[in-house]
Amino acid sequence: TLSIFLPSCLPACLPGEASGRMYLRVARRSSGLLHLRRAPGLRSWALLAGLCSVGLAAAAYSQDSLGWKLFYIAGCLFVALQNLEDWEEAVFEKDAGKVFLRTFNLYKKLLTLLRAGHEQVIFPLDELRAVNVQEEKVRYFGKGYFVVLRFATGLSHPLTQNAVMGCRSDVEAVAELITGFLELTRRPNHPGPESSSETDVSDADDPRNKH
């Protein structure tokens, strides 16, 4: 299921940063480190508050027993947490030569009694060959965009599990930021299964379906 994230459409680099709503926010940046992150957006929190309010209202105005009232509240809270977006981070470390992609899911954390909910994927930076923007069609909502990392081995992996709706410039700004930080345009071109001069991969298969 695609989580929908609605950013502000501002023309500057990392357009949504001024308003606090964007595809990814720069948490830290230096000559050897680029740390990007995102948290659940306003839509997610509004949905959570709305569903919790429905549960509380159902319990308050219901003539059922206390057990049923608690069931209404717990059920709405369960659905709200299930639809809450993940916290996501992308850390590019030149000294370590690695990129760390991390996700935190509150719903999984509570469902497994804190035993799960954190996920981390690590890739070598020296195999990263391109950073592209990919387009995904979302039923009833239009088009979503997200950044894809392409490696010399032919592997393609999304930078985030959530696409951003409507404003492609936010995603392109992030892709350009990563490309500039890693100086990918200065690296020698090593032909591979995914070698291509194209920068727009909107017609390619969604890499999230390959895993």
Side-chain angles (χ1 to χ4, degrees):
T1 302
L2 177 67
S3 296
I4 301 169
F5 187 75
L6 298 174
S8 60
C9 295
L10 303 177
C13 182
L14 295 186
E17 189 166 12
S19 65
R21 299 176 298 165
M22 59 181 303
Y23 176 59
L24 281 168
R25 179 184 296 277
V26 178
R28 182 182 174 189
R29 183 181 181 184
S30 65
S31 59
L33 175 70
L34 177 61
H35 183 186
L36 306 173
R37 66 184 178 187
R38 68 180 298 180
L42 180 62
R43 170 189 170 274
S44 286
W45 293 115
L47 181 61
L48 185 145
L51 290 174
C52 290
S53 298
V54 170
L56 292 172
Y61 293 100
S62 174
Q63 300 298 323
D64 296 328
S65 63
L66 178 61
W68 279 107
K69 292 182 178 181
L70 293 176
F71 175 78
Y72 298 150
I73 297 175
C76 290
L77 180 60
F78 177 84
V79 174
L81 291 176
Q82 191 176 26
N83 287 277
L84 186 66
E85 291 178 344
D86 295 341
W87 282 261
E88 300 188 72
E89 290 186 336
V91 182
F92 298 83
E93 293 189 16
K94 289 184 178 179
D95 293 338
K98 296 179 180 179
V99 52
F100 302 86
L101 304 180
R102 305 185 181 109
T103 60
F104 171 77
N105 186 286
L106 181 60
Y107 169 74
K108 291 181 180 179
K109 198 75 174 176
L110 297 177
L111 191 64
T112 59
L113 302 178
L114 306 181
R115 289 194 299 266
H118 280 95
E119 296 180 3
Q120 178 173 272
V121 181
I122 303 175
F123 297 104
L125 274 181
D126 58 356
E127 294 185 1
L128 183 58
R129 291 293 176 262
V131 180
N132 302 135
V133 175
Q134 184 155 314
E135 176 184 300
E136 182 176 61
K137 294 183 179 179
V138 184
R139 184 178 297 179
Y140 308 125
F141 291 99
K143 297 178 180 179
Y145 304 96
F146 59 96
V147 170
V148 176
L149 305 179
R150 301 194 180 276
F151 298 88
T153 58
L155 173 68
S156 296
H157 195 282
L159 185 65
T160 62
Q161 297 301 316
N162 298 315
V164 63
M165 297 294 298
C167 190
R168 181 178 180 133
S169 60
D170 280 1
V171 186
E172 290 179 337
V174 172
E176 292 173 2
L177 176 66
I178 297 172
T179 300
F181 172 76
L182 298 177
E183 300 180 337
L184 294 179
T185 55
R186 300 182 183 180
R187 293 186 181 180
N189 186 21
H190 298 281
E194 292 289 333
S195 294
S196 172
S197 60
E198 297 179 358
T199 57
D200 185 357
V201 294
S202 60
D203 294 331
D205 293 336
D206 190 338
R208 288 175 289 186
N209 296 330
K210 299 180 181 179
H211 304 280

